[in-house]
Amino acid sequence: MRRAALLLAALLAAGPVRAVQPNEVLPDPALEHRAREISAGLRCLVCQNQSIDDSDAPLAKDLRVLVRDRLKAGDTNREAEEFIVRRYGEFVLLRPVFGLHTLLLWATPLLAILLGGFGIWRLARRRAPAPEPGLSPAEEAEVAALTRRD
């Protein structure tokens, strides 16, 4: 039990593993920090659910190097990111831009919540059907007459 706790503590202390290779790291810490910020927001086009900072795919490595090259060339963070987006399209962004062409993407969760709430409200307001009135005395007498056996 103690070994398992120590192993778990070691794994949690390790933190997230990055795929950035030592030969990719820039000598300037400020530039490296900027490169990490940008690459954390860019999608690996091979893995599609990881940032290029977390991916070991060769294309992700190429994109990390490209981002660092753009920063070394003097681009701002925004210019470097826009360069990648122009080259690979908006799909490369892990967080899509908010615009008219992505409005449905951003509005879908809100619409789903509203429609679900409306459905629950409608179900709650649904009334139980009114009970059917019982038989009148004349009808009861008729049923009794029909069911008698003589």
Side-chain angles (χ1 to χ4, degrees), residues 72-128:
K72 284 192 283 187
D75 284 1
T76 64
N77 289 12
R78 184 176 180 96
E79 289 170 339
E81 189 174 288
E82 285 175 356
F83 177 81
I84 301 293
V85 170
R86 277 194 311 273
R87 195 171 215 185
Y88 294 97
E90 283 186 6
F91 182 73
V92 78
L93 297 174
L94 277 173
R95 292 188 183 136
V97 295
F98 186 75
L100 190 58
H101 63 288
T102 58
L103 188 59
L104 183 62
L105 175 69
W106 286 98
T108 299
L110 180 62
L111 289 173
I113 290 170
L114 289 174
L115 286 173
F118 178 73
I120 291 170
W121 177 75
R122 291 281 297 175
L123 282 174
R125 288 193 41 120
R126 185 179 282 177
R127 294 188 181 146

Side-chain angles (χ1 to χ4, degrees), residues 131-143:
E132 302 239 352
L135 297 175
S136 68
E139 292 171 331
E140 285 181 10
E142 188 178 335
V143 168

